[in-house]
Amino acid sequence: MNGSEKTLTKQLPNLKLTSDSLPDRVLVCGDPGRAKIIADLLDNPVQLAQNREYHTYSGSWKGSQVAVVSHGVGAPGAAVCFEELIMGGVQSIIRVGTAGSYQKEVTPGSLVVSTAAVSCDGLTKQIVPPGFPAVADRKIVEALMNAAVLNGGDIPVNEGITLTLDAFYSGVLEFPHQLYKKAGVLAVDMENSALFVIASLKGVKAGAIMAIDGYADAELRDEYNPHNDLVASAVEAEMKIALNAITAL
């Protein structure tokens, strides 16, 4: 195990594992399939548990023990994952996800490292008072940006504020996307604010890197098709960037 030893083994009921099986550094992602792909990059990967959307693997990256856990789509289910990982003694969490861009220059196939998230989800409104900031850990942001530089390649990497929503598809109510676009928000996802708030409350480090899989802004979007080579290359790059960042902490 990395970091301080766990003195008490805890059962983590939804992840279906015990705390003594977890290292203190974890990558999380929404898609269980992506969790398996990340795990396959590790040395000596093993699956620790599988329950609902929560698939957990562990292995080593450049000599450091790392776990990979999927959390599904949306803040409430993801929050269960984040809470139980922290209960299990995890000290550093990096989310490896996808997001829709609000800015023309943040193009599909590029990467965004989130420094903070606008909390437009329902979960955080139930656990902290209005105005509580959802902020990424600065050391993780720096580690991700440094790892992106060392990774090289032609994939642009942006750093800035993102926004977290619950709704993937629109309904009859109009969400003020244009206001956040004008305010300089780079992209929108569905889990970052929950991760950042929970990490702040529990005193652990958290950050997020996202591959841009299309434009969330209607004025910029022709169609939404995340299944293309540009996005696939960005997802592949962010996995290795996140692994290098979390093991550099």
Side-chain angles (χ1 to χ4, degrees):
M1 294 291 173
N2 293 314
S4 60
E5 294 184 3
K6 301 177 178 70
T7 58
L8 179 64
T9 298
K10 293 183 178 180
Q11 297 289 331
L12 306 177
N14 290 286
L15 297 185
K16 294 289 188 182
L17 48 77
T18 58
S19 60
D20 59 2
S21 63
L22 281 172
D24 65 2
R25 303 170 186 180
V26 177
L27 299 190
V28 295
C29 61
D31 182 4
R34 184 175 299 153
K36 176 65 165 59
I37 293 171
I38 298 172
D40 286 342
L41 296 174
L42 303 176
D43 294 326
N44 304 312
V46 295
Q47 184 170 34
L48 300 179
Q50 178 178 325
N51 183 48
R52 297 189 178 187
E53 64 264 51
Y54 311 119
H55 296 201
T56 304
Y57 304 87
S58 71
S60 64
W61 179 260
K62 298 182 178 179
S64 295
Q65 286 297 117
V66 181
V68 185
V69 187
S70 59
H71 56 62
V73 177
V80 172
C81 175
F82 306 150
E83 292 274 10
E84 292 194 6
L85 287 173
I86 296 168
M87 290 176 194
V90 170
Q91 296 297 309
S92 301
I93 303 173
I94 294 179
R95 194 174 99 75
V96 183
T98 55
S101 172
Y102 271 162
Q103 306 296 333
K104 183 177 181 180
E105 64 273 16
V106 182
T107 56
S110 64
L111 298 173
V112 167
V113 173
S114 180
T115 56
V118 183
S119 299
C120 291
D121 63 289
L123 182 280
T124 54
K125 291 177 174 62
Q126 296 183 18
I127 62 174
V128 290
F132 188 93
V135 182
D137 180 83
R138 189 64 209 172
K139 289 183 179 178
I140 287 188
V141 171
E142 292 173 354
L144 285 167
M145 293 303 294
N146 289 339
V149 171
L150 292 174
N151 187 68
D154 299 324
I155 299 175
V157 183
N158 306 276
E159 175 185 345
I161 297 171
T162 59
L163 180 147
T164 298
L165 277 178
D166 287 335
F168 188 86
Y169 293 108
S170 60
V172 296
L173 298 178
E174 291 290 333
F175 184 80
H177 294 285
Q178 290 301 315
L179 292 178
Y180 292 106
K181 177 183 176 182
K182 290 178 181 179
V185 170
L186 298 186
V188 56
D189 88 312
M190 299 181 73
E191 297 88 16
N192 283 353
S193 61
L195 174 58
F196 297 165
V197 167
I198 290 168
S200 293
L201 292 179
K202 306 298 183 180
V204 304
K205 297 181 178 67
I209 184 169
M210 293 162 293
I212 299 300
D213 62 3
Y215 286 110
D217 178 72
E219 293 181 356
L220 299 173
R221 182 178 63 243
D222 292 324
E223 63 178 6
Y224 176 66
N225 176 24
H227 307 296
N228 59 67
D229 291 342
L230 278 176
V231 175
S233 294
V235 170
E236 182 179 356
E238 71 173 348
M239 294 176 185
K240 294 179 181 178
I241 290 169
L243 285 167
N244 286 330
I246 203 162
T247 54
L249 296 172

